[in-house]
Amino acid sequence: MKKNIQDLLQERILVLDGAMGTMLQRYKFTEEDFRGERFKDWKSPVQGNNDLLSLTQPEAIAEVHRKYFAAGADIVETNTFSSTTIAMADYDMEELVYDLNYESARIAKMVADEFTEKEPHKPRYVVGSIGPTNKTASMSPDVNDPGYRAVSFDELRIAYKQQVEALLDGGSDMLLVETIFDTLNAKAALFAIEEVKEERNIEVPIMVSGTITDASGRTLSGQTAEAFLISVSHIPILSVGFNCALGANQLVPHLEVLSAKTNFAVSAHPNAGLPNAFGEYDETPEQMASQIKEYVEKSLVNIVGGCCGTTPEHITAIANVVKDIKPRSLNVNR
């Protein structure tokens, strides 16, 4: 029987994978590659729809997962960051949402099981990635109409629920509501997860990860790290943390706030620094690992990984830094 993730968190710092998009760029897939046979006559362009590759280039997705597990990751994320009806509307692919999530989870789970079988002492896990969608529930996209909303809480809840059901059916061990720029969107996702848990009478570990979008240390919808924590703490979650938007060293003060104020596990998967003028990330695995070292020396985190610009090399460097360090202590009986 695979170890319970809560027990593992007591024993060591767990390592999450790095960027899926950064790895997929290396394949230089064309429009035809994205379409594959199944979508060769699709009415709109699909290049850039990375989640679609779970259906058209599943071997590439499996290979990326393998590279991250081989690099030392305990947990990989499914290739489903944009797999909601709301985000897929850009490609007229709303009806594919179940397939996208199910297949992405199935591929990741297959690879996780391969590694767990080979190394039973280091079980591997799959976390279903739930992105923020490309709409925001608490702000108007129209500067002239501040009361207007492009999406409602209920529309988000329904979209997230479809995603969650398929991620679980495909074999996800956990769920990650990530890159949260609007806490209301996150609340809709958490509400949907709670609905599914209740309907299916199951427990699912939930990770929650916000994103600080600027130097003032706030999310896009205006919350500080502490306010964000308070807004999501009413749900029984496994971990709370931050990802994306900033490099590892800019996250330190925000992780300090979370670590001091919560009994949940704390996670961080920062970018490989800030993007340069070409939108690329320059931070080397060594540079990033030395910054992650500060997290663990200050005992701020329980789960670490990488976001934009990170590669298996970054994950190996991070895994080496955290491997012998005691995790931040958890008061699990909160």
Side-chain angles (χ1 to χ4, degrees), residues 102-123:
Y102 180 88
E103 281 303 310
S104 295
R106 189 191 61 75
I107 294 164
K109 184 69 170 166
M110 174 188 76
V111 179
D113 288 347
E114 268 171 39
F115 277 82
T116 300
E117 211 169 297
K118 276 193 302 208
E119 305 175 295
H121 62 283
K122 186 178 163 69

Side-chain angles (χ1 to χ4, degrees), residues 18-27 50 64 68 272 281 307-312 314:
M20 175 61 79
T22 302
M23 295 300 289
L24 290 174
Q25 279 166 9
R26 296 179 174 185
Y27 289 88
N50 282 348
V64 173
Y68 279 123
Y281 295 86
C307 203
C308 307
T310 56
T311 63
H314 289 84

Side-chain angles (χ1 to χ4, degrees), residues 38-212:
R38 180 170 168 186
F39 303 103
K40 68 176 194 294
D41 301 321
W42 198 255
K43 52 188 173 289
S44 45
V46 297
Q47 190 169 5
N49 183 356
N50 282 348
D51 295 13
L52 183 64
L53 295 171
S54 294
L55 302 181
T56 56
Q57 302 291 339
E59 215 13 81
I61 302 300
E63 192 180 5
V64 173
H65 290 320
R66 276 190 197 101
K67 284 183 172 152
Y68 279 123
F69 278 137
D74 298 289
I75 306 165
V76 297
E77 294 180 48
T78 55
N79 179 39
T80 53
F81 188 80
S82 301
S83 295
T84 51
T85 47
I86 293 167
M88 280 295 145
D90 288 356
Y91 301 97
D92 301 311
M93 288 186 156
E94 296 94 324
E95 78 261 25
L96 290 174
V97 160
Y98 187 89
D99 272 13
L100 289 168
N101 287 287
Y102 180 88
E103 281 303 310
S104 295
R106 189 191 61 75
I107 294 164
K109 184 69 170 166
M110 174 188 76
V111 179
D113 288 347
E114 268 171 39
F115 277 82
T116 300
E117 211 169 297
K118 276 193 302 208
E119 305 175 295
H121 62 283
K122 186 178 163 69
R124 305 307 215 283
Y125 298 85
V126 172
V127 65
S129 167
I130 300 171
T133 82
N134 47 6
K135 293 187 175 172
T136 166
S138 59
M139 289 174 286
S140 172
D142 180 355
V143 72
N144 298 313
D145 185 358
Y148 172 70
R149 296 291 178 269
V151 68
S152 71
F153 182 90
D154 223 38
E155 286 166 333
L156 285 165
R157 176 188 66 80
I158 291 162
Y160 284 130
K161 191 173 178 188
Q162 288 176 310
Q163 181 173 31
V164 166
E165 287 173 336
L167 284 170
L168 293 174
D169 290 349
S172 300
D173 302 300
M174 304 182 272
L175 297 168
L176 166 62
V177 181
E178 67 168 317
T179 323
I180 298 162
F181 59 81
D182 180 348
T183 308
L184 195 55
N185 286 40
K187 279 181 170 290
L190 293 168
F191 191 92
I193 293 168
E194 289 303 305
E195 273 194 306
V196 175
K197 279 166 57 179
E198 201 171 307
E199 283 167 16
R200 297 188 174 195
N201 195 17
I202 53 171
E203 278 310 314
V204 184
I206 305 166
M207 299 171 65
V208 171
S209 184
T211 191
I212 299 281

